[in-house]
Amino acid sequence: KESSAASDVYKRQRLCSIHSSKLPATESSIVKVPAFIVEDNATIRDNLISALEELTSLEIVGTADSEEDACKWLKRHPERWHIAIVDLFLKQGSGLGVIEAFRERPGSQKLIVLSNYATNDMRRRCKELGADAVFDKSNELDALVDFLMAPENQAVATAAR
């Protein structure tokens, strides 16, 4: 439990340490991109939501902590999300099941894996199942923000609206 709590504190500090220089110049010029988060750890989920809404143009429209809940929401609301950020280890089921369930989706929707288990083999497996990108929670948060703010990802979401 102690190492888990220490790990959560580290992740929280890491999420908050992403450089504020990535913030857009003006709030009024931002087109919000609807996103859904699949993460079973409430502390990580809450910190991730705060950081992503502050540092990117994402607007979190929903969350789930299990494969079943994620798949239900994403299927019932296909027009309400353009980005889904999925952890691999969930309260019930797996992020792999979420990825596979949405292998066939419009080009305006991106599935991103954010996990502590981003080994080379797991990255390859996620891509085979249909993930657009895979990031390690412990050391690739800057890369995740860069990916989310890339012009091609902003343009796809904007064009879909």
Side-chain angles (χ1 to χ4, degrees), residues 3-108:
S3 69
S4 177
S7 176
D8 287 347
V9 168
Y10 170 77
K11 289 174 189 163
R12 181 177 172 193
Q13 290 170 339
R14 179 71 181 111
L15 281 171
C16 294
S17 72
I18 297 173
H19 303 292
S20 62
S21 63
K22 295 182 181 183
L23 288 172
T26 63
E27 190 70 27
S28 62
S29 66
I30 299 172
V31 173
K32 292 294 186 179
V33 179
F36 189 83
I37 306 288
V38 185
E39 168 64 61
D40 64 330
N41 182 304
T43 302
I44 292 173
R45 183 177 55 241
D46 292 345
N47 289 326
L48 182 62
I49 290 169
S50 295
L52 292 177
E53 286 187 334
E54 180 180 337
L55 300 172
T56 72
S57 59
L58 293 188
E59 175 184 21
I60 308 306
V61 296
T63 65
D65 61 6
S66 71
E67 177 183 341
E68 180 181 1
D69 290 345
C71 288
K72 280 182 185 176
W73 193 95
L74 293 167
K75 284 180 184 175
R76 287 184 184 154
H77 304 96
E79 72 292 342
R80 293 206 38 215
W81 65 279
H82 292 291
I83 304 266
I85 299 175
V86 181
D87 187 14
L88 293 176
F89 296 104
L90 303 172
K91 187 178 193 178
Q92 172 275 320
S94 165
L96 293 174
V98 176
I99 299 164
E100 189 168 28
F102 293 90
R103 180 190 303 256
E104 302 294 324
R105 62 185 180 278
S108 63

Side-chain angles (χ1 to χ4, degrees), residues 96 99-100 103 120-132 134:
L96 293 174
I99 299 164
E100 189 168 28
R103 180 190 303 256
N120 288 336
D121 287 341
M122 188 54 70
R123 289 173 193 269
R124 187 172 27 262
R125 180 75 178 128
C126 290
K127 293 281 193 146
E128 288 170 357
L129 291 174
D132 292 291
V134 181

